[in-house]
Amino acid sequence: MPLQKEKKTQVIASFQRSETDTGSTDVQIALLTSRIQQLTEHLRANKHDESCRRGLLSMVGQRRRMLTYLRKTDYQRYLAITERLNLRHK
């Protein structure tokens, strides 16, 4: 279940750092977060979808690694993105 094209372009537009930015850490974290939210809603309705659960856990781990990278390299951007996406941080 990929994100709809309109929603994906909207997320990219709101988190990009320049006009041509589509792959920065901020954009990738935002896309993963919206995808995680979508899969979480799917799993609430379909509790026994184990392949979806495995993909969800994989995405959560990938987002966690990206957040750790961002925290090490640019702490102010890390704080800003966790605030915008309402993510818990340490």
Side-chain angles (χ1 to χ4, degrees):
M1 292 183 300
L3 289 175
Q4 294 177 354
K5 187 172 184 170
E6 297 85 23
K7 181 159 174 75
K8 187 173 182 178
T9 56
Q10 177 186 11
V11 169
I12 290 173
S14 63
F15 284 93
Q16 65 187 4
R17 301 179 67 195
S18 68
E19 192 63 34
T20 59
D21 176 27
T22 58
S24 69
T25 310
D26 300 352
V27 173
Q28 291 182 49
I29 291 171
L31 286 173
L32 278 171
T33 300
S34 60
R35 186 83 194 280
I36 287 168
Q37 290 169 348
Q38 178 186 7
L39 287 178
T40 302
E41 289 301 316
H42 170 77
L43 278 172
R44 284 193 178 121
N46 304 290
K47 295 180 189 290
H48 298 290
D49 191 351
E50 294 300 327
S51 61
C52 179
R53 185 178 315 278
R54 182 168 187 249
L56 175 67
L57 290 175
S58 164
M59 284 183 223
V60 169
Q62 185 177 2
R63 182 181 68 178
R64 191 188 75 235
R65 288 189 302 273
M66 284 187 186
L67 283 169
T68 303
Y69 166 78
L70 190 61
R71 184 176 181 202
K72 288 178 184 176
T73 57
D74 191 351
Y75 191 69
Q76 294 304 318
R77 274 179 47 210
Y78 168 77
L79 289 177
I81 197 159
T82 53
E83 182 69 29
R84 278 183 75 184
L85 294 172
N86 297 325
L87 298 175
R88 291 182 290 157
H89 60 86
K90 294 181 181 179

